[in-house]
Amino acid sequence: MGTHEKAKAKKEQLAGKVKKEAARSVGNESKAAEGRSEEAKGNLRSAKEKAKDAFGD
């Protein structure tokens, strides 16, 4: 299950970064904020998985 969650975290990080940069390029701060939020969610999921790896399941 860990690799699935790690892949999901990377997907969220990438999707958030793409949304954030695309929105910034057209000047849509609302969508840029959504992108930052998605990216942060992916970062948190990644940190959780790293902690689980460090301490074991």
Side-chain angles (χ1 to χ4, degrees):
M1 186 76 139
T3 53
H4 175 69
E5 291 295 318
K6 288 178 185 177
K8 191 172 181 182
K10 290 292 182 188
K11 180 182 171 189
E12 285 175 340
Q13 289 170 334
L14 181 61
K17 185 171 282 223
V18 168
K19 183 184 272 187
K20 176 181 72 175
E21 295 304 323
R24 277 186 178 170
S25 69
V26 296
N28 188 337
E29 282 304 313
S30 175
K31 288 292 183 185
E34 285 181 27
R36 284 190 299 272
S37 174
E38 286 180 25
E39 189 174 7
K41 184 178 174 183
N43 290 339
L44 287 173
R45 186 182 307 272
S46 179
K48 178 187 84 168
E49 291 302 315
K50 286 180 182 178
K52 282 174 56 178
D53 286 346
F55 294 109
D57 292 328

